Amino acid sequence: MTSHNTKTRCEIGMVGLGIMGQNLLLNMADHGFVVAGYDKDKDKVDSLLKEAKEQQVYGATTVKEFIKLLRTPRAIMLLIPAGKPVDIVINELIPHLQSGDLIIDAGNSHFIDTNNREQRLQEKGILFLGVGVSGGEEGARHGPSIMPGGSKEAYERVRLILEAVSANVNGDHCVTYLGAGSVGHYVKMVHNGIEYGIMQLIAETYDLMKRGLGLSDDQLHDVYQSWNDSALNSYLIEITSHIFSKNDEKTSKKLIDEISSVAKQNGTGMWTSQSAMELQVPVPIIDLAVSMRDLSVLVKERKQASDLYVRPIPFLKVDHAVFLNQLKSALYIGMIAVYAQGMALLAVASDHYHYHLDLEAVARIWRGGCIIRAKLLEEIMDAFRLNNTLPNLLLAKNFSQTIMAQQEDLRLVISQASTLGVPIPTLMVTLAYLDAYRSIWLPANLIQAQRDYFGAHTYERIDAQGSFHTEWEKDKPS
Ligand code: 6PG
């Protein structure tokens, strides 16, 4: 619909008609909602209206026009790049808004920014929701996973729209009210941290199969496709199998081999690591996934180092079928561990920030639409249904049994990789995390002693309560 009917009062408006904003708005229109899109870029507005066909979609290139299209109290969603642009748009909207209007930030905003924005808007009587949306372009168009946080009253106002557009798994909407404040953006941040972890874990299995076994892209496609028919079934494994079969239009070779080995980032994985460090929750798979992207960017240095540390990587002399099964188990344990780390962070953040998060509900809304959707999430849901205060998924019986049965495969894969010289840091740290977590004794007694030795930081004893200090240099044997 291209004309502006002044009697029309749209149920929701979207600021930002990039591909995500446009697709999500069209998704809403598909479900019968009357919607308006606003972008300063006329081409984007035209493109929205062209795509809209018979749906009730209106467009505007100025805030004034846009505001006129909206029913009051207004509901305005922002799908724009995180950071400054969000504040710029909010500032632009404020003079046109009234008390009771609602702004929904559906971008990847940092949760601290979300807290600040909510407070600022509250002072003006404007409601605010911080909403994580996952699923990329396709998800936005046909059903994303939506992670809303903020005022319950505000959520109720747009609940039917969000439920209608979200993905659906076995009759469950992949959206639910997660709680007050910035919880939606916090959960989305951790979602992305887990996303980084899974992507890096998969990339390491690719490296081992390519450089360790010498598999071709077609063979890699077949392996990932078969893994996707197993317990590893997930969106990221599925797209990985497709990637290996894609030809490059320019060279007709496989596209994957024409792509440089440099992985950039928008920061959400790093934020997850930063927050985990602050809350003192170990998430080493996510930390390393971020570090490996950082390392990949050091192209010049990597080139210099490759000349300094020459050490050829021979092919593994193993039965391929046996090794591939071991690798599959190793990846599965890695996937369990990265969800465990992400969920453990959510549990602590929930206490710390008073989010009152229901982790079973988080697993439920991640089962469809989002980038980390996976079969494994069914089991994760079960684990939290049985015990909603579970501090770590590794303590759940189903996961401990799986890991106990498959851990030798992970150990074998790691020893093979280290002998070859193929870097698999997140698989390695999966094992180190597991071995440390299951260890009743750790060499941290030595760290206590060292701290007390050089800094009089005191230490705790195994046989008495309290803090103790020793003059370590006294009576030192010469
Ligand atoms: C999603 C994605 C999405 C985006 C990431 C990519 O859930 O749909 O996570 O939010 O693709 O921001 O992050 P990087 O650019 O940091 O890899």
Side-chain angles (χ1 to χ4, degrees), residues 346-412:
L346 285 180
V348 173
S350 179
D351 277 355
H352 187 83
Y353 295 115
H354 311 293
Y355 285 149
H356 306 291
L357 253 180
D358 173 353
L359 293 182
E360 184 195 339
V362 173
R364 188 171 63 241
I365 63 169
W366 282 352
R367 284 176 310 153
C370 67
I371 305 298
I372 64 166
R373 62 186 185 259
K375 192 173 176 178
L376 187 52
L377 282 159
E378 294 284 347
E379 260 192 89
I380 295 177
M381 254 177 85
D382 293 345
F384 286 117
R385 189 177 310 124
L386 278 174
N387 178 2
N388 65 8
T389 58
L390 194 64
N392 191 309
L393 285 169
L394 295 189
L395 298 178
K397 203 165 170 209
N398 50 343
F399 290 122
S400 69
Q401 284 169 345
T402 306
I403 292 172
M404 283 303 284
Q406 300 186 23
Q407 61 169 309
E408 296 311 322
D409 288 337
L410 175 61
R411 291 178 197 282
L412 283 166

Side-chain angles (χ1 to χ4, degrees), residues 227 319-330 406 409 413:
W227 286 2
D319 178 320
H320 279 200
V322 172
F323 184 75
L324 288 174
N325 257 325
Q326 291 164 345
L327 193 58
K328 180 176 159 190
S329 299
Q406 300 186 23
D409 288 337
V413 164

